[in-house]
Amino acid sequence: MSPSNPKKTYTRSPAIEKQIDDLLAKMTLEEKVGQITMVETYSIEPEQVSEYFIGGLLSGGGGNPDPNTPENWRKMVTDLQKPALTTRLGIPAIYGSDAVHGHNNVKGAVIFPHNIALGATRDADLVQRIGQITAKECLATSVHWAFAPAVSVPMDVRWGRSYEGFSQDTDLVSEMGVALVQGLQATSDAGHMNVLACAKHYLADGATEWGSKRALAEAVPDTNTATAGLSEQAEEDLGQWQIDQGISKIDEAELRAKHLPPYIAAIEAGVQTVMVSYSSWGGLKMHAQRYLLTDVLKQELGFDGLVVSDWMGIDQIDPDFYTSVVTSINAGLDMIMVPYDFRRFISTLLEAVQNGDISQERIDDAVRRILRVKFAVNLFEQPFGDESLVAQVGSSVHRAVAREAVRKSLVLLKNDADSLPLSKDLPALLVAGQGANDIGIQCGGWSITWQGEVGATTTGTTLLDGIRDTVSKNTTIHYALDGAFTADIHTEVGIAVLHVPPYAEGFGDRYDLALSNDQIQLLDNPRKHCNKLVVILIAGRPLISTEQLPKMDALVMAWLPGTEGNGVADVLFGDYPFTGKLPFYWARSMEQIPYAAMQTHPEKPLFEIGDGITSS
Ligand code: GLC
């Protein structure tokens, strides 16, 4: 792969625009409608990709081959691409995946800290390098489209997708979002991008109101929606799906001031695709919002890439599918993530064009945008990515950058009596908590599977691995998963690692963000067995811990660090300084959530955006 330059902005070329004109002039309506159709990998046979002229394919969260290896990923993708190339005009399909913190579906790929952690680094250069590495690991598997970055501005951390946001500070979201776009879409000297980035979810997905829910039961039944195995009542008790995909009730001034700037910045940085939010604004589902999708995004902001729906996103517009298809395409959607019943979508769209409910011009505009981005990633010349990159998937070079990101993302919030950094020569050390020794917990949601899973889900190092590799050989480490140590054990220092089990999307919506009882117990148990207690929190958002703070001598927020847990020990033991700063405020109590409630609350939050003790 020729060297790529993240600072080089891709420019549209008249020659390519001419090629697109020529292609469009040759295409039948069926070929055009096929291009607008995106299907998930297990819902279509290879021969149907050519039969229906399919333009887009994807793996949803966990849409993996079995066994899940980079080589098998590459085979899964190329087996569907080959038939696309046999069509009359040989237009390649483009394959997308949620590579939102590395190529995170692929076992063995490096998994970076989630966006909330990257926001804590405030290091645009690092984030851009993460984008470049992610793009390489995607291209190794012939994936040319990463559904990232989320440029959400999460205003209510009860939202399960808060960790996908870089920050509650709009400018920081813009800066980090641009950096990831530049890294993913780094452009070679030949003028082609590595992979397409995707600014999502347009618009104001992070501004929905608690209780304005898309309850799971109310949604269009999606057979692929993995439930977390909880009962309906348990879901209700936790608050699942109470805010995700809900309604943003802000006015247009706030919409433009708080939530639009990251898209403006991403467009200026050349982002090629935008994914539409499930949420609603102005009384309409975003997937039906002609004003925001066409008048604002495409005309006012001049976005000339493609606008893609979310997974079954158009199905939520109206119970009548024909109405949903007509409304979404006429609103300005260019590619539809169907993702299952592509035949029904194709026949419905053909019917709508033949009825005159969707104009030929709108279809041509959508297909032009689709072809435009396919040329941008050199798909016609290089439809199978770059097999030579397979050897780099999960390489030590890539992991070193992830370890750097872990180090820079840690936020030190309390450090009484300079408890940290720790000596490497302690005679003994307590370590408590399952979260200290579990890759799946470190990675969080969108890791190997959609929801993520507890356990040794992929390769990497845990926090405990890092501690063991850092302390002297004379240091005795007492590790207890539940923090229960025998009465005879007492040490100078104990480390309690508290965690929240992995979740994604609405499954992570929570009424109450207080530390759970078992996590509090995990803090109280070791407290009795050590003189100084260092607490490390592995979570995708700040948790209410005001009451427990006095029991801690030091508190480190580690977010969701990904596969390189050893980066935590690098800082705990002083090889690197603490530099991270909070990208979200830390509420003192639930009364200070959401952001608007904090702004009017008589007390300050426990910690402010920008807080973080730096050590030398
Ligand atoms: C999901 C998410 C979106 C993701 C898409 C494909 O429901 O909302 O972020 O890119 O579906 O997996």
Side-chain angles (χ1 to χ4, degrees):
M1 187 166 84
S2 64
S4 53
N5 172 358
K7 298 295 183 197
K8 182 177 166 69
T9 306
Y10 176 80
T11 48
R12 301 278 179 235
S13 94
I16 287 178
E17 291 299 306
K18 173 78 173 60
Q19 279 182 268
I20 292 169
D21 291 341
D22 295 347
L23 258 179
L24 266 174
K26 295 173 189 162
M27 292 174 78
T28 64
L29 179 59
E30 286 72 13
E31 288 165 334
K32 292 175 183 175
V33 164
Q35 283 300 306
I36 292 172
T37 309
M38 179 188 261
V39 190
E40 75 91 15
T41 193
Y42 289 111
S43 297
I44 192 164
E45 295 305 321
E47 61 275 10
Q48 294 170 317
V49 174
S50 50
E51 182 185 353
Y52 289 89
F53 313 105
I54 300 299
L57 295 154
L58 84 148
S59 282
N64 304 327
D66 183 18
N68 182 355
T69 64
E71 295 78 2
N72 277 349
W73 251 88
R74 185 173 175 79
K75 182 176 183 326
M76 173 178 75
V77 177
T78 55
D79 282 354
L80 291 175
Q81 178 69 296
K82 286 169 189 162
L85 303 178
T86 67
T87 53
R88 182 175 72 92
L89 294 170
I91 299 173
I94 188 153
Y95 200 104
S97 182
D98 290 286
V100 295
H101 59 143
H103 196 3
N104 40 254
N105 271 344
V106 179
K107 196 166 280 191
V110 60
I111 296 183
F112 294 94
H114 268 294
N115 285 355
I116 194 168
L118 301 184
T121 73
R122 286 171 171 73
D123 185 335
D125 174 72
L126 167 66
V127 173
Q128 175 257 102
R129 286 182 282 132
I130 288 172
Q132 281 188 276
I133 290 167
T134 303
K136 285 180 179 173
E137 301 207 359
C138 284
L139 281 177
T141 62
S142 197
V143 168
H144 288 83
W145 191 2
F147 300 139
V151 289
S152 321
V153 186
M155 303 312 292
D156 186 331
V157 286
R158 289 175 291 183
W159 183 36
R161 304 197 77 163
S162 294
Y163 67 75
E164 296 185 63
F166 290 108
S167 176
Q168 290 172 316
D169 176 297
T170 299
D171 292 342
L172 183 56
V173 174
S174 298
E175 186 188 3
M176 297 294 108
V178 163
L180 201 62
V181 166
Q182 289 175 329
L184 289 167
Q185 295 188 165
T187 302
S188 67
D189 296 344
H192 307 299
M193 294 182 180
N194 285 344
V195 302
L196 299 177
C198 181
K200 69 183 187 180
H201 309 78
Y202 185 88
L203 179 59
D205 56 343
T208 53
E209 199 165 273
W210 184 265
S212 65
K213 60 185 175 173
R214 181 218 82 166
L216 209 53
E218 288 164 19
V220 172
D222 170 354
T223 51
N224 200 37
T225 296
T227 62
L230 290 175
S231 68
E232 285 285 326
Q233 188 51 49
E235 279 181 15
E236 200 62 33
D237 293 347
L238 282 172
Q240 293 190 349
W241 302 96
Q242 288 293 320
I243 184 170
D244 187 36
Q245 307 186 18
I247 300 169
S248 308
K249 296 178 181 174
I250 56 177
D251 62 21
E252 182 162 354
E254 185 171 346
L255 186 81
R256 284 177 173 271
K258 194 82 186 158
H259 302 277
L260 195 57
Y263 290 91
I264 296 172
I267 291 166
E268 281 168 10
V271 73
Q272 293 295 298
T273 73
V274 168
M275 185 182 293
V276 180
S277 175
Y278 286 115
S279 57
S280 305
W281 179 79
L284 277 178
K285 293 294 286 185
M286 280 306 303
H287 281 76
Q289 266 283 358
R290 182 190 171 83
Y291 169 63
L292 290 177
L293 294 176
T294 296
D295 302 353
V296 173
L297 181 61
K298 292 184 173 179
Q299 290 168 3
E300 181 186 326
L301 301 184
F303 178 63
D304 67 357
L306 83 80
V307 177
V308 66
S309 81
D310 203 332
W311 183 283
M312 293 181 81
I314 69 167
D315 299 60
Q316 294 182 15
I317 292 173
D318 192 285
D320 172 59
F321 189 66
Y322 184 90
T323 303
S324 294
V325 171
V326 170
T327 305
S328 57
I329 299 292
N330 285 340
L333 276 135
D334 302 310
M335 183 177 269
I336 303 300
M337 191 185 291
V338 176
Y340 304 121
D341 191 347
F342 59 91
R343 292 182 194 79
R344 179 180 70 149
F345 172 73
I346 287 170
S347 62
T348 306
L349 183 49
L350 285 171
E351 183 190 354
V353 178
Q354 282 142 9
N355 290 348
D357 290 328
I358 296 176
S359 71
Q360 189 62 56
E361 290 69 32
R362 178 70 273 275
I363 294 295
D364 287 355
D365 174 53
V367 177
R368 172 180 300 282
R369 289 167 180 266
I370 292 167
L371 295 175
R372 196 175 268 159
V373 301
K374 289 187 175 182
F375 277 107
V377 281
N378 201 25
L379 205 53
F380 287 84
E381 304 299 322
Q382 199 180 8
F384 300 118
D386 186 342
E387 188 164 19
S388 71
L389 293 173
V390 170
Q392 292 188 35
V393 175
S395 69
S396 56
V397 170
H398 291 178
R399 290 180 188 274
V401 175
R403 186 170 179 172
E404 174 191 349
V406 172
R407 291 195 292 262
K408 290 181 173 178
S409 68
L410 301 177
V411 182
L412 180 58
L413 293 165
K414 182 178 182 184
N415 192 23
D416 284 359
D418 291 335
S419 304
L420 293 174
L422 300 175
S423 160
K424 296 178 183 178
D425 300 317
L426 290 163
L429 182 62
L430 299 183
V431 179
Q434 180 182 13
N437 200 29
D438 190 293
I439 290 264
I441 288 172
Q442 287 171 205
C443 290
W446 297 105
S447 303
I448 312 302
T449 62
W450 176 36
Q451 293 294 311
E453 284 166 356
V454 170
T457 53
T458 187
T459 51
T461 54
T462 65
L463 277 64
L464 185 57
D465 291 335
I467 293 169
R468 284 180 172 140
D469 292 346
T470 303
V471 297
S472 80
K473 58 184 184 307
N474 303 321
T475 302
T476 302
I477 295 175
H478 303 283
Y479 175 54
L481 204 96
D482 57 0
F485 298 95
T486 52
D488 62 318
I489 290 180
H490 196 92
T491 61
E492 173 57 23
V493 174
I495 298 174
V497 180
L498 311 185
H499 79 276
V500 174
Y503 57 79
E505 301 195 44
F507 285 111
D509 291 355
R510 287 286 181 281
Y511 276 122
D512 185 351
L513 296 176
L515 285 177
S516 61
N517 292 333
D518 62 334
Q519 294 301 316
I520 292 169
Q521 197 56 49
L522 191 58
L523 193 160
D524 290 342
N525 285 351
R527 178 70 273 184
K528 307 186 286 283
H529 295 273
C530 61
N531 295 340
K532 282 184 182 170
L533 182 63
V534 175
V535 173
I536 299 174
L537 181 56
I538 296 182
R541 54 194 155 192
L543 299 177
I544 306 299
S545 37
T546 311
E547 219 176 295
Q548 291 77 33
L549 195 59
K551 301 179 195 172
M552 309 172 192
D553 294 291
L555 171 60
V556 177
M557 184 52 163
W559 312 107
L560 296 170
T563 51
E564 309 315 303
N566 50 10
V568 177
D570 292 345
V571 182
L572 275 189
F573 291 91
D575 288 341
Y576 290 84
F578 280 98
T579 56
K581 301 284 182 190
L582 286 181
F584 284 58
Y585 74 93
W586 197 296
R588 192 177 291 278
S589 69
M590 288 307 291
E591 290 170 12
Q592 293 185 332
I593 293 173
Y595 195 92
M598 183 276 287
Q599 286 180 308
T600 56
H601 196 275
E603 286 185 284
K604 283 185 169 301
L606 192 61
F607 301 109
E608 304 271 10
I609 293 177
D611 279 356
I613 301 166
T614 52
S615 57
S616 53

